[in-house]
Amino acid sequence: MKTLIKDGTVVTANDTLRADVLIEDETVRAIGTGLGAQAERVIDASGRYVMPGAVDVHTHMELPFGGTFASDDFATGTAAAAWGGTTTIVDFAVQTFGQSLHQGIEQWHKKAEGKAHIDYGFHVIVREVNEGILKEMDQLVQEGVPSFKLFMAYPGVFMLDDASIFRAMSRTASNGGLIMMHAENGGAIDVLVQRYLAEGKGDPINHGLTRPASMEGEATSRAIALARLADVAVYIVHLSSKDALDAVRAARDDGAPAFAETCPQYLYLSLDDLARPGFEGAKYVCSPPLRPQSHQADLWKGLLQDDLQLVATDHCPFHFKEQKEMGRGDFSKIPNGLPGVEDRFSLIFHGGVHSGRISLNRFVELVATAPAKMFGLYPRKGTIAPGSDADIVIFNPTVERTLSARTHHMNVDYSCYEGMTVRGLPEVVIQRGNVLVEKGAFQGKKGAGQFLRRSPFHGAPLSEPAKVEASV
Ligand code: URP
Ligand code: ZN
Ligand code: ZN
């Protein structure tokens, strides 16, 4: 089956060109003009941007947390992702204490198989480090799961000590894996949490006040120092603050391979949201917490200057009713995480491109190309080029729409961005040549998403960007 996307403006991380895109079955065949001779299907993209399907490398479908589970599963969460222009996710499998990493991954395969509407890969959360686990890490790099999330926070649940972190990092120095770090000083934070609760300070705002930005900065510096000692790259997840960004920037300026993502919530939302009256602030509880608004300009600048390499969502939704409500009177019992897998493309286009902060090409790099390169999916994913998977978003940059829980597709009873008007709409979303979203209707198929075996980490992902060749 041949499909022609006609008369659009093709945007990649490197180029913006008026051209048609010819898709043959699941693959992009050519970009250029005069390609339409034998196409069975023609999609008119005039006045639209034709962009790579976005890649979200930080999601938590059905994550067990604080006695409950994230409310999106692979069916609902990947459908919502597609509605928002994301055609690939990388989700976090979780190791159970005393069990192998492989068992955790098997469990995640069961969650995803037969459900996912879009392609997906896995990272794995490592909760203990011993000889067996280190050997498994070697194997997993070869088996297409080359990234490992470690925690410096949540003592007794996820937190690892520095020795374990250093051992795991040293292993990735030889096996081609990449350590992804949740960088917050869990020990100090826990003391503050107990102190605040003892003082009767149980409201959601105290979640933010007990996790100061300085403790994210400290942990980020420590993670980078440990990685430098192990002579290996490190990737900081969900970076939220100027303090942590300063640590990443200093290391990069010094030539160290330190990388980081931020998330839309840290660019748009703030401590003021956690302070909303009543229990409303619970809707905004995530870790690291939302920061004072003054941090946002630095994060946008970090994206512009490549001290932050990409934007992911950390999608981890919990319903307000009955899930977030578990923490009424005790903020430490509010499950941590925000919904966002559907909103990233539009939020970053709106706040980045429409607001004039970043270029169209940098936008594509941040939401599609850089994540694909960083996590071993490029050039199959993250770009539009001959031979790439035909994962494509046809984006109307002029439509204005209002974000709302009434119209979103994520399985969660609120939107963090309720009532916010954004410019731009992913009108047509295509995965491997199949239309998932068109004319406001969902045409995807449950179970059509494929597991992606990813390549090992190859070092700085943005040093040699591939050129899209116009080909006829
Ligand atoms: O609050 C968050 N971020 N929840 C998801 C788990 C994590 O730490 O990424
Ligand atoms: Zn985390
Ligand atoms: Zn996360």
Side-chain angles (χ1 to χ4, degrees):
M1 164 97 166
K2 285 191 175 147
T3 303
L4 187 73
I5 301 175
K6 210 172 156 32
D7 293 334
T9 299
V10 178
V11 185
T12 68
N14 304 306
D15 296 296
T16 306
L17 61 151
R18 283 294 298 272
D20 302 338
V21 177
L22 182 66
I23 298 168
E24 195 174 336
D25 300 324
E26 300 198 341
T27 309
V28 173
R29 275 290 158 244
I31 301 164
T33 50
L35 304 173
Q38 322 94 329
E40 284 104 321
R41 179 174 54 176
V42 175
I43 301 176
D44 176 22
S46 50
R48 311 288 191 265
Y49 294 131
V50 179
M51 294 165 155
V55 179
D56 187 348
V57 293
H58 192 149
T59 65
H60 299 283
M61 303 305 169
E62 267 191 87
L63 176 78
F65 194 105
T68 187
F69 289 84
S71 56
D72 262 321
D73 65 8
F74 273 84
T76 58
T78 58
W83 275 103
T86 290
T87 51
T88 301
I89 59 166
V90 187
D91 202 82
F92 287 86
V94 183
Q95 180 209 6
T96 304
F97 274 123
Q99 292 193 358
S100 69
L101 302 183
H102 281 90
Q103 280 169 304
I105 289 164
E106 263 321 298
Q107 215 186 336
W108 248 254
H109 275 299
K110 288 195 185 117
K111 287 180 195 275
E113 267 164 24
K115 281 192 172 175
H117 292 91
I118 61 173
D119 291 351
Y120 57 92
F122 298 139
H123 318 283
V124 62
I125 291 175
V126 178
R127 297 175 76 178
E128 56 193 324
V129 175
N130 55 43
E131 265 316 301
I133 297 290
L134 292 169
K135 284 201 184 95
E136 274 200 285
M137 286 171 66
D138 296 345
Q139 292 160 359
L140 286 172
V141 173
Q142 299 307 317
E143 292 163 12
V145 182
S147 40
F148 308 94
K149 182 175 177 189
L150 312 184
F151 284 78
M152 301 171 103
Y154 304 119
V157 185
F158 288 120
M159 189 170 115
L160 293 177
D161 60 20
D162 289 351
S164 299
I165 291 169
F166 181 58
R167 289 181 80 194
M169 284 177 165
S170 302
R171 198 65 167 221
T172 57
S174 61
N175 70 14
L178 179 64
I179 296 295
M180 309 171 75
M181 190 60 77
H182 180 128
E184 287 186 290
N185 184 319
I189 286 169
D190 234 34
V191 172
L192 286 180
V193 169
Q194 297 318 321
R195 190 183 294 165
Y196 272 55
L197 289 175
E199 290 169 1
K201 298 173 179 166
D203 291 343
I205 181 64
N206 296 299
H207 173 79
L209 300 179
T210 53
R211 307 182 86 94
S214 61
M215 289 298 96
E216 188 189 8
E218 183 280 327
T220 303
S221 299
R222 183 157 40 99
I224 293 170
L226 291 168
R228 293 185 83 163
L229 187 65
D231 198 15
V232 74
V234 64
Y235 177 92
I236 308 297
V237 291
H238 46 46
L239 187 146
S240 70
S241 65
K242 178 177 170 359
D243 307 55
L245 177 59
D246 285 347
V248 172
R249 186 189 299 111
R252 291 177 65 79
D253 287 352
D254 201 30
F259 303 101
E261 67 182 26
T262 190
C263 311
Q265 53 268 34
Y266 302 120
L267 298 163
Y268 275 93
L269 305 172
S270 77
L271 203 58
D272 296 345
D273 291 297
L274 268 175
R276 286 188 188 214
F279 192 59
E280 278 292 291
K283 293 178 177 174
Y284 301 91
V285 166
C286 59
S287 294
L290 302 176
R291 302 300 183 188
Q293 216 174 346
S294 56
H295 291 245
Q296 291 170 4
D298 287 283
L299 297 183
W300 279 110
K301 198 165 148 201
L303 291 172
L304 178 70
Q305 297 180 335
D306 201 38
D307 290 316
L308 297 170
Q309 285 67 50
L310 62 98
V311 181
T313 61
D314 194 9
H315 176 72
C316 190
F318 296 97
H319 292 295
F320 181 65
K321 284 209 165 45
E322 292 184 9
Q323 291 194 297
K324 292 285 188 185
E325 279 181 342
M326 291 163 71
R328 267 191 198 277
D330 179 352
F331 65 86
S332 73
K333 294 200 167 64
I334 301 170
N336 286 199
L338 305 187
V341 76
E342 187 171 350
D343 299 327
R344 177 183 62 139
F345 200 100
S346 290
L347 286 171
I348 302 305
F349 179 86
H350 181 80
V353 181
H354 182 61
S355 304
R357 290 185 174 106
I358 56 173
S359 71
L360 207 46
N361 305 95
R362 179 65 177 155
F363 165 74
V364 169
E365 189 164 49
L366 290 172
V367 301
T369 316
K373 286 183 175 179
M374 184 77 72
F375 290 99
L377 292 167
Y378 185 86
R380 179 173 172 192
K381 305 292 188 188
T383 193
I384 301 175
S388 297
D389 279 1
D391 294 356
I392 289 173
V393 174
I394 301 178
F395 189 75
N396 184 338
T398 59
V399 172
E400 280 205 343
R401 66 202 176 94
T402 302
L403 302 178
S404 171
R406 284 189 298 280
T407 48
H408 75 200
H409 303 86
M410 298 176 283
N411 181 36
V412 60
D413 61 2
Y414 73 95
S415 168
C416 292
Y417 308 100
E418 187 68 41
M420 185 184 291
T421 299
V422 292
R423 180 73 78 103
L425 175 71
E427 277 182 341
V428 182
V429 180
I430 300 172
Q431 163 123 89
R432 283 186 280 101
N434 299 306
V435 173
L436 303 185
V437 177
E438 191 177 26
K439 297 197 175 90
F442 192 73
Q443 301 176 20
K445 284 197 189 66
K446 205 169 156 180
Q450 294 178 358
F451 173 67
L452 299 165
R453 286 173 67 107
R454 297 181 293 114
S455 304
F457 178 67
H458 289 300
L462 304 179
S463 50
E464 288 291 332
K467 272 270 173 208
V468 172
E469 301 292 342
S471 60
V472 179

